[in-house]
Structure formats: C-alpha cells, structure tokens
Amino acid sequence: MCSSRCLHKTAVRGLLIVLLAAGLSACGGGGGGSSPPARSVALAWEANRESGVNRAGGGYRVSISGQPTVDVPYTSGSAAPTSTTVSLQPGSYTVTVLAYAALDAQGGVTGSGSVSAPSQSITVNVP
Amino acid sequence: MRALLRSIIAIAALAGVALTLLNQVAAVSFEPVGPGAYVAGEVLVKFKPVYSAQDRTVTIASRGHAVHADLNQPGLVQVKVGGGQTMEQVLAAYQNDPSVEYAQPNYIYRTTAVPNDTQYGQLWAFKNTGQTVTNALTQPPSSTIYSTNNPGAPGNDMGIEKAWDHITDCSSVVVAVVDTGVKYDQEDLAANMWSGGPSYPNHGYDFVNNDNDPKDFDGHGTHVAGIIGASGNNLQGTTGVCWKASIMAVRVIDATGSGTTANIVQGINFAVSHGAKVINMSLGGGGGFDAALSDAITNAQTHDVVIVVAAGNDGVNNDAIPTYPCNFTQSNLICVAALDQNYALATFSNYGATSVDVGAPGTNILSAWAGTNAVISDPLTSGLGWTFATTTSGGWAFGTVSVGGTSTPSLLDPPTYSSGQYNNSTDDRAYKAFDLTGVNVAVWQVSAAINVVNGDYFRTRYSSAGGNPFPGGTLVSENTGVATFPSIRAAEFDISGCISASCSLGFQLQSDAALTDRGVAITRFAINTLTFSTTSYNTINGTSMATPEAVGLAAMLRAYNPQYTFADAVNAITKGGRATASLAGKTTTGKAIDAMSSLAYINPPTGLTATVQ
C-alpha cells in the first residue's frame, strides 16, 4: 500500500503520461503541424501570331484562380515567352491565359492597348 | 559644420520663401484627363512666372519626381514622375499646387496618314465627311449614282486612316482578283500589279480566252482591283485600301459579264498555286450548290487562302434563297453585304443572318475603270438604215408591244405579232450596219420575247463587212422550241469581232412547213462599247464594291502580321468590326468592317497546358 509520497509519485507519473499523450496526439496529424510543400507547375501555350504581342508592349497574362495574375511580357527576340512556371499549393486551380499588345483600336500605342479574350480554361490539380 | 549649417539655413530660407509664396495664391481647378495617348510616366508642368528654375526643381523633387527637360517655354517643365501613382493622382497634386499654372499629360500626336490622291475627297468609304458623291465620268449607263443617303453621315466609314498610320504597304501579300480581268496598265494600278515573271508578263492569266493576257474587257475587275490597291499618295486618281499592293489579275468572266464554273475553278486554282493569299470574287449566281466550286474553295482553305465574296445585288435573303459562293460554309470564306453612306443596308444588297458575314461600303464607290463607255441605241421606231427581206409575206416590221404596262416600240415578226403567228416555210431577215470605228469592245444587248416551235429558228448574226449577215456572217445565237411570251428575256453578246466601220447586225426567223407560233418581239437593241484608256475612273454600286474593301483589309492584316493564318485574318475581320444597327439580324456578326479595330484585334491564345513537376 502506498504512502502519501507514493500516491504523489503515482499522480505525477499519471499527469506526465497524460501530458505526453496529449503532446503525441497534437503531433500525430490530427491538424496543426507542418504544411505539405508547394509544387512547381509549368504552364505553356501556343504563340500568338499578332506582331504586336511579340514586340515591346506585348505579351501574355496568366490567370490562376485564387492567385495573383502572372504577367509574361515580351522582352527580346522574335517572340514573347509562351511559358511560365508557378508555385502552387496542393489544390485544384482554373487557369487561362490572354494575350495583349500596345496597339489599341483607336490607333494609339501607349494607352491601355488591346487584350484578347481569354483562352479556353484548363483545370490544374496539384496533389 | 558651420558651412553645412549655413547650407541648411539657406535651403530652409529658400523653402520658406517658396512656402510664403505658395500661401499667397489659391489653387486652380483643371479639366480631368480625357482620352488620348500620352507618354506614361511623364507630365508637363507650367509653373507661374514668379517661380525660378530652382523653385521648380525643389517643388518637383519634393514630390519624388525629377526634371527631365526644360522645354524652352517660360515655366514649362517636362517631369519624370516614376511609378506608384496614377496619372490622375499626379496631375491632381500639381493642379492643387498654387505655384502651378497648369499640368497636363505629355500627349502623343501622330501624323494622320491622309493620301494626296486627287480624288480622295470622293472616297467616302475611307473617310466619310458627309460629302456628296458625284459621277466620276459622264458615261453611260447613266444615273449610276445611288441617291439614297448621298450625302451620308460623317464617320460612317471603314476607319482606314488610323490604320494607315501603321501600315499602307500590303505588297508582301499577293491578292488575286478573279473577275473580268484587270486593266493592268491603268495609271493608278500599273505599279501595284503582281509580278508573274516571264511566264506571266501581264500579271495573271485569262481563262476566258485561255491566254496569258488578263486584260479587262468590261471594267468591273479593274474597279475591284482599284478598291483593293490603287496606288496611294501618288497625286492622282484614287487610293486603294492598300497604297502598295500586289494584285494578280485572273480573268474568268467575259465582256458580257458571264463566267462558268470551269473558268472560275481554274482561276481559283491558278491563284492558289501561284502564291495568292487572298482572293476576291465579286460574283455570284449559278444554278444552285456548285460542288466543283466548293471543292476549289476548300482547296484554297487547305493552302491557307482567304476568299472574300459578294452577297449579291437582288435585295433578297440569302438564307431563304441561297446564292453561291456566298452560301458556302468553308471557314476561309467571308461574304460581304453593301452599306450606303449612312451605313444603312443598301436597298439592292442581299443579306442573311447565317450566310452573310459583314457589311462594307458599297454605294457610290469611285475607282479605276478600263476605259470610256458609250451606248449606241436603236429606237426601233424607224426603218432608217434597216433592211427587211422575206420569202413569203409580212416578215419583220416595226410596231409596239406592252412591256410592264407601257407601250414599247419594238421590231416584230410577224407584223401582226399581237394577234397572229408567223408564216410557215418563211425566211424573214432584218439587219442594219453600225459604225464601230475606234472602239475596243462591243457588246450587243438585245431584249426579246421569243416564241418559235421546235424546228423553227430565231437566229442573230453579225458581219464586220457590212451588208447581209445571212449567210456568211458569224452566228451569235440560235433559238428553237422556246416560248417566253409574255416574259421579255435580255441577252448580251460579245461582238468585238465585228468592230469595223460597217458592223452589220441581223435577226432571222426561219420556219418549216409544220406548226408556227406567236413569233419574236425585239423590245431593246443597243450596243455598249468600251474604248480602252489608262486614265479612266467610274463610280458604281454593288456588293461587288464592298467585297474588295474586305479583301484589302485581309491583305493589310496579313502584311501587318506575317505569321497570320487564314483563320486569324478571318477572325480579325469578323470579330474586330464595328457593330452596325442595319446589319443586326441581317449578317452573322452584325458588324461593318473596321480597319483599325481589326488591326488591333488579338486572337485568344490556344494550346494552354500545365505540367505539375
């Protein structure tokens, strides 16, 4: 039969066991803890054939649901880039791309320019 | 340290002076920034005279901006503003500064490309100023001016001038005019014809006469070619949609305005195989769905060629009464209706909500022509110059018949046409000689009601030697077993082979001993002549004129965007046009072609893919 000291030790051990179990539970994956890593997603499309898209002031804009628009401007060479890589958390995303150029329907080149309608959308599932 | 302190004090004093002056003057208000192109990241600021250059520099620097240039105009400074603020915010800040007289964007001005061609002011399709369009030439047929909405409303045009700021030279794109030929030495076309090399020295081919000289014996093809690519800015004549062009002449229609499937198919295939990327076909009709013509259009599509065709001039709905090639459905085909100067649908223009695609100006269109026209018209009221002969009795004689309720002078066989029949076993002839000296083309126009039984004949002949064209002359037409009365049928015959000082034209009714019929009533007799000239122009109407405007635009788009496919060009034209009320429900797009908006149109990207790595 335990004495009061024995009872105290038993209580302390039980408390430690409870605390340890709670800690394990908290770390065991029931929520909380570290997130799954983001994945790189390579997006690509066919080049537009408008000369304005493929010169200074032209390029593409990629729209990804829930994400900031990604601008892919013309920089140099014969054509604007037709690909970009983004980092996305696991989930499902709707993606479209549109093309733009500096020339507008009023004949100017430094206003808002012209933009195309968006491409057909695709769904990207990031596991 | 003391020097630094003195500098600080001096600057503070300067600022204090500036601050004092700022407090003395109230801010002014300005107009908001309107539409218009301006240089991004720059403003022009006009400071009041009392502020020195140093004051201006301090004020500008205090806003985080920098002086780019003093513009040698008192107080006017070009300022670089950097990023982080909108133009409206920047201007508002300067506008509220009491040291500033005004602030504005650094606007961009462009040269507005207006060609110096002498007749440009008549080209309402390119620039509608509300001008009244008049006849270019005093030549028959008269009254070709479409009077409805002439003048029209300013602004109702193709918007071509803004496009010309960006491109006027379409010569990298070969355009084929599949038509009556082209007067390729016309003064406004000669420099813009396709170079076919030694094999095709006359810039194309003639499938009517099957030779390599596609000279225009009518004028229609020349007019079309001029709309597409008459030399622009050359101080003469008109201009085309393209100031510089490469026009291939493909003759498939003869001097009477008729062509065959065989000729047109050959013409399309010639154009495709010799590098044309746009084809104009201002023609229509046929007998229904033309499979051979459809195959030729499909072949052109396979070779990345845009084909633009006319909707037709019967004022009908092509959806209900198909007309080809307009009603073909290939995706490289654009069918064009005609608009007047108020952008109303021209009364003669066909339309179709599912078959006609766009509209373009098609009334009172001035362009190049092949020469000078004239008409020799016989009144059919007098025997002067006519010779009549018969082997029986009666035969040919002048009289009248009712045409559309109007008593019309006519040449009749028998004389009792209204109540009798022609004789059995008769050979009745009537002929007259005409002086056609000096003309290059002669087309004989005859309107007649013809009722002859099978085995009896109504013939027309000509002889360039004058006298009796029966026998020995050239047979022009022969009819047997027909009964057209009460309908009057019109026919045209190319009698250029009769051109001489005494061209004899004649009619013959010859019958056997069996049955007879009512006979023949000639209600119109005319000779339409063309004398070639390199300096002729004409003003005419039709969906034929609207079509080459879209053709020129297609060439312009493909020249501006060298990688363009036929589909890109068709999209830019049909999706980049201008919504027009008169075309809503009458065309697939409800739009008139608009050059600048088509030039700025961007096709949606395709082929989007994603790869998770």
Side-chain angles (χ1 to χ4, degrees):
Chain A
M1 180 174 177
C2 295
S3 64
S4 61
R5 182 181 297 174
C6 174
L7 188 63
H8 173 70
K9 286 182 179 178
T10 300
V12 170
R13 278 200 293 274
L15 179 61
L16 284 172
I17 291 171
V18 170
L19 289 173
L20 186 58
L24 283 171
S25 172
C27 295
S34 59
S35 303
R39 301 283 295 275
S40 288
V41 179
L43 302 170
W45 54 90
E46 292 182 7
N48 265 55
R49 288 174 286 275
E50 285 80 17
S51 57
V53 173
N54 298 297
R55 66 165 70 126
Y60 302 91
R61 294 193 191 106
V62 180
S63 294
I64 306 171
S65 53
Q67 304 295 310
T69 299
V70 179
D71 187 28
V72 185
Y74 167 87
T75 54
S76 64
S78 63
T82 56
S83 63
T84 190
T85 301
V86 295
S87 181
L88 295 175
Q89 291 291 333
S92 181
Y93 302 87
T94 300
V95 183
T96 61
V97 60
L98 58 79
Y100 64 88
L103 184 66
D104 61 39
Q106 286 70 49
V109 292
T110 58
S112 58
S114 295
V115 293
S116 74
S119 67
Q120 281 199 311
S121 64
I122 62 171
T123 300
V124 180
N125 296 310
V126 180
Chain B
M1 182 59 185
R2 285 182 181 176
L4 176 60
L5 184 60
R6 282 198 291 274
S7 297
I8 293 172
I9 292 171
I11 292 170
L14 188 64
V17 168
L19 285 169
T20 301
L21 290 174
L22 286 173
N23 288 335
Q24 288 177 344
V25 180
V28 297
S29 62
F30 297 92
E31 294 296 323
V33 175
Y38 53 81
V39 180
E42 288 187 12
V43 293
L44 303 183
V45 182
K46 170 72 160 62
F47 288 87
K48 294 178 178 157
V50 67
Y51 294 94
S52 67
Q54 237 176 341
D55 297 333
R56 299 195 289 264
T57 300
V58 168
T59 299
I60 292 167
S62 69
R63 301 189 185 283
H65 304 156
V67 174
H68 181 66
D70 189 314
L71 297 182
N72 291 325
Q73 189 163 306
L76 188 62
V77 184
Q78 183 178 5
V79 178
K80 285 285 190 187
V81 300
Q85 284 184 297
T86 66
M87 177 61 70
E88 287 76 12
Q89 290 171 330
V90 171
L91 290 177
Y94 280 111
Q95 287 163 2
N96 287 317
D97 189 323
S99 69
V100 171
E101 195 170 305
Y102 62 77
Q104 65 169 70
N106 191 12
Y107 290 114
I108 293 177
Y109 288 82
R110 303 191 66 83
T111 56
T112 302
V114 177
N116 59 20
D117 304 274
T118 53
Q119 297 299 312
Y120 184 69
Q122 286 279 285
L123 306 185
W124 74 267
F126 297 159
K127 180 67 175 183
N128 192 335
T129 62
Q131 68 270 61
T132 299
V133 181
T134 59
N135 267 315
L137 297 170
T138 304
Q139 66 172 4
S142 60
S143 302
T144 57
I145 287 296
Y146 186 90
S147 58
T148 303
N149 292 330
N150 179 21
N156 286 325
D157 55 51
M158 286 175 57
I160 192 81
E161 287 189 346
K162 290 179 180 174
W164 284 336
D165 283 344
H166 301 280
I167 182 169
T168 58
D169 183 353
C170 316
S171 60
S172 61
V173 178
V174 177
V175 176
V177 175
V178 178
D179 209 289
T180 61
V182 176
K183 188 81 169 75
Y184 44 77
D185 57 350
Q186 205 274 351
E187 63 178 6
D188 235 1
L189 287 173
N192 282 354
M193 297 304 299
W194 171 64
S195 176
S199 299
Y200 306 106
N202 297 310
H203 317 287
Y205 198 82
D206 177 355
F207 289 97
V208 175
N209 293 334
N210 203 28
D211 59 42
N212 69 355
D213 187 1
K215 185 191 291 96
D216 187 359
F217 288 83
D218 178 86
H220 185 272
T222 301
H223 198 269
V224 164
I227 294 168
I228 295 167
S231 292
N233 210 42
N234 64 346
L235 287 170
Q236 67 182 11
T238 66
T239 181
V241 172
C242 301
W243 296 10
K244 291 187 178 179
S246 181
I247 297 171
M248 178 192 292
V250 183
R251 184 169 185 249
V252 301
I253 295 182
D254 67 19
T256 70
S258 293
T260 64
T261 299
N263 287 350
I264 297 169
V265 164
Q266 287 183 288
I268 293 172
N269 291 333
F270 175 89
V272 170
S273 63
H274 290 85
K277 284 304 179 187
V278 188
I279 293 177
N280 187 111
M281 292 209 295
S282 288
L283 50 86
F289 185 85
D290 188 327
L293 181 55
S294 179
D295 284 350
I297 292 171
T298 300
N299 177 58
Q301 178 178 312
T302 302
H303 288 84
D304 192 30
V305 178
V306 178
I307 297 185
V308 188
V309 302
N313 299 328
D314 300 310
V316 299
N317 183 351
N318 286 357
D319 289 359
I321 308 173
T323 187
Y324 297 94
C326 175
N327 278 63
F328 288 130
T329 58
Q330 287 87 336
S331 58
N332 65 329
L333 196 75
I334 300 175
C335 182
V336 187
L339 296 168
D340 71 17
Q341 290 163 250
N342 245 7
Y343 263 33
L345 187 67
T347 56
F348 56 77
S349 179
N350 289 8
Y351 55 92
T354 65
S355 53
V356 179
D357 297 298
V358 293
T363 63
N364 300 326
I365 304 299
L366 172 66
S367 184
W369 199 249
T372 303
N373 288 104
V375 174
I376 302 169
S377 184
D378 194 284
L380 302 176
T381 59
S382 164
L384 186 64
W386 284 91
T387 300
F388 298 130
T390 180
T391 57
T392 58
S393 62
W396 293 97
F398 289 110
T400 61
V401 294
S402 177
V403 178
T406 302
S407 179
T408 302
S410 304
L411 181 59
L412 308 172
D413 188 345
T416 56
Y417 177 83
S418 298
S419 58
Q421 297 187 332
Y422 56 86
N423 294 333
N424 273 330
S425 303
T426 194
D427 185 347
D428 304 333
R429 300 174 184 184
Y431 56 88
K432 179 177 178 180
F434 298 86
D435 184 356
L436 301 181
T437 305
V439 305
N440 299 105
V441 183
V443 174
W444 186 16
Q445 298 170 326
V446 177
S447 296
I450 306 169
N451 286 61
V452 292
V453 299
N454 200 30
D456 296 342
Y457 293 88
F458 169 62
R459 300 186 183 94
T460 59
R461 280 183 183 270
Y462 71 72
S463 171
S464 60
N468 187 352
F470 303 95
T474 301
L475 180 66
V476 177
S477 69
E478 182 175 84
N479 295 273
T480 186
V482 296
T484 73
F485 183 86
S487 295
I488 306 292
R489 301 290 172 84
E492 294 192 338
F493 310 107
D494 185 352
I495 58 166
S496 298
C498 191
I499 291 174
S500 67
S502 183
C503 167
S504 181
L505 302 176
F507 304 109
Q508 178 188 39
L509 194 160
Q510 188 173 38
S511 66
D512 59 20
L515 301 171
T516 68
D517 201 339
R518 175 182 289 269
V520 180
I522 310 291
T523 61
R524 182 171 183 267
F525 182 114
I527 305 169
N528 196 324
T529 66
L530 176 67
T531 304
F532 290 148
S533 166
T534 60
T535 60
S536 290
Y537 299 84
N538 203 357
T539 301
I540 59 176
N541 312 289
T543 54
S544 287
M545 284 62 254
T547 300
E549 289 157 1
V551 167
L553 178 54
M556 176 181 280
L557 289 164
R558 299 196 81 163
Y560 189 75
N561 303 295
Q563 305 302 316
Y564 250 22
T565 64
F566 79 83
D568 295 330
V570 170
N571 281 343
I573 291 173
T574 57
K575 294 185 168 63
R578 162 183 157 182
T580 300
S582 68
L583 297 173
K586 297 286 181 71
T587 59
T588 60
T589 65
K591 292 184 174 182
I593 63 171
D594 186 281
M596 190 61 239
S597 64
S598 286
L599 209 61
Y601 177 80
I602 303 175
N603 286 276
T606 58
L608 177 61
T609 62
T611 304
V612 180
Q613 296 168 336

